[in-house]
């Protein structure tokens, strides 16, 4: 039987400047536990993830390693903290190069998106096994406007619009090829699936709960605390 090896890349290399805190948001406590630890718990407990790579700010590498070792010292799942890059795309590309060559699927996730579920990981895994690329999405509730200078110039129909979330899941061969081509062409994006789409591959989508939020500011952090207090996520 072929051995399956799936790698999770949990990107913690951001500066978190929108939070307005002297502490980077991935290290901030969420109900007394750092946000990144809430996020990593699902990957450490998931049976479909065999390997975890965490890009982190270069100045915080030791801190990140000590933090993960503290909370997951009893896990035998391999994990590695690596220096992140100047931009998110640089951090992910660096992590892809640390993936074991026998990696089948790569789960690329934001460290400050702590409310994923094992059920979602399983759903994305089953789709990616055949489709090679899948992104979790949520519907847009508000009307979307296009603006220029001081005025609204267009109302954008939202029927076919969704928000792209993470983890985005790809075959290792597909996402590595897309990243290599992107660097050759100088193509930059903050979204991993955009690189795959740019080079002509199809990407499936899977609706998921809007609770899969990204903590970017104080309001998000308050909402995250409320989610935990009311036990809205398992």
């Amino acid at each position: 039987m072929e051995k399956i090896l799936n790698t999770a890349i949990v990107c913690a290399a951001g500066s978190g400047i929108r939070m307005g805190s002297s502490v980077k948001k991935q290290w901030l406590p969420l109900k007394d536990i750092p946000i990144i630890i809430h996020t990593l718990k699902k990957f450490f407990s998931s049976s479909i993830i065999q390997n975890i790579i965490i890009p982190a700010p270069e100045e915080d590498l030791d801190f990140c390693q000590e933090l993960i070792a503290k909370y997951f010292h009893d896990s035998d799942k391999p994990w590695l903290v690596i220096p992140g890059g100047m931009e998110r795309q640089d951090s992910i590309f660096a992590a892809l190069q640390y993936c074991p060559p026998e990696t089948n699927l790569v789960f690329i996730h934001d460290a400050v998106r702590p409310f994923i579920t094992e059920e979602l990981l399983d759903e994305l895994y089953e789709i990616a096994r055949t489709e090679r690329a899948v992104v979790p999405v949520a519907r847009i509730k508000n009307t979307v406007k296009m603006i220029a200078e001081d005025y609204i110039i267009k109302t954008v129909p939202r029927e076919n619009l969704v928000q792209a979330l993470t983890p985005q899941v790809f075959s290792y061969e597909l996402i590595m090829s897309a990243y290599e081509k992107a660097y050759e062409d100088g193509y930059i994006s903050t979204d991993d699936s955009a690189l795959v789409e740019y080079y002509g591959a199809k990407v499936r989508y899977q609706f998921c709960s809007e609770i899969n939020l990204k903590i970017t500011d104080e309001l998000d952090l308050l909402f995250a605390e409320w989610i935990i207090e009311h036990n809205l996520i398992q």
Side-chain angles (χ1 to χ4, degrees):
M1 177 181 287
E2 180 186 4
K3 182 179 179 181
I4 301 298
L5 193 156
N6 300 318
T7 295
I9 296 173
V10 180
C11 190
S15 61
I17 56 175
R18 281 179 288 180
M19 183 64 75
S21 169
S22 59
V23 178
K24 297 182 180 71
K25 59 187 176 182
Q26 57 270 40
W27 318 135
L28 286 173
L30 174 56
K31 289 300 179 182
D32 300 322
I33 297 175
I35 291 171
I36 188 175
I37 299 302
H38 285 281
T39 304
L40 286 170
K41 280 181 179 179
K42 292 299 189 296
F43 292 101
F44 271 97
S45 62
S46 173
S47 62
I48 64 174
I49 301 296
Q50 288 75 42
N51 183 51
I52 303 172
I53 300 173
I54 307 100
E58 192 160 5
E59 66 273 17
D60 293 341
L61 290 181
D62 290 343
F63 175 77
C64 185
Q65 289 170 340
E66 292 168 4
L67 196 63
I68 297 171
K70 173 184 175 181
Y71 282 93
F72 301 105
H73 60 88
D74 58 349
S75 174
D76 59 0
K77 186 169 293 188
W79 57 272
L80 177 67
V81 176
I82 67 166
M86 290 292 294
E87 303 293 340
R88 183 184 185 279
Q89 185 166 317
D90 301 323
S91 298
I92 301 301
F93 189 43
L96 287 170
Q97 294 173 77
Y98 276 94
C99 289
E102 66 271 27
T103 295
N104 297 93
L105 297 175
V106 180
F107 290 66
I108 303 177
H109 190 60
D110 302 317
V112 290
R113 205 180 283 275
F115 297 126
I116 54 168
T117 63
E118 289 195 45
E119 179 183 9
L120 176 61
L121 293 179
D122 290 343
E123 290 173 352
L124 297 173
Y125 169 65
E126 290 301 328
I127 294 172
R129 287 176 66 186
T130 56
E131 299 283 354
R132 303 180 72 215
V134 60
V135 172
V137 301
R139 294 194 184 278
I140 293 176
K141 293 182 177 179
N142 297 314
T143 298
V144 179
K145 301 282 188 178
M146 184 180 295
I147 60 173
E149 297 180 348
D150 296 332
Y151 297 94
I152 293 171
I153 60 172
K154 184 178 181 181
T155 299
V156 182
R158 67 184 184 203
E159 288 77 12
N160 295 321
L161 297 180
V162 293
Q163 304 174 73
L165 312 178
T166 69
Q168 300 187 1
V169 187
F170 310 93
S171 82
Y172 178 54
E173 180 183 4
L174 176 64
I175 191 65
M176 181 57 107
S177 175
Y179 262 84
E180 289 173 341
K181 290 176 181 175
Y183 276 92
E184 289 174 6
D185 295 351
Y187 178 72
I188 305 297
S189 177
T190 58
D191 180 79
D192 302 293
S193 66
L195 274 64
V196 174
E197 297 158 28
Y198 184 77
Y199 292 105
K202 290 185 177 181
V203 178
R204 272 283 304 271
Y205 66 85
Q206 172 71 7
F207 282 108
C208 75
S209 170
E210 292 178 69
I211 291 178
N212 182 12
L213 64 87
K214 184 177 182 181
I215 300 176
T216 57
D217 55 33
E218 291 182 358
L219 182 60
D220 295 329
L221 188 57
L222 287 172
F223 188 37
E225 292 173 348
W226 185 85
I227 290 171
I228 292 176
E229 287 173 0
H230 291 79
N231 198 29
L232 296 183
I233 200 78
Q234 299 298 323

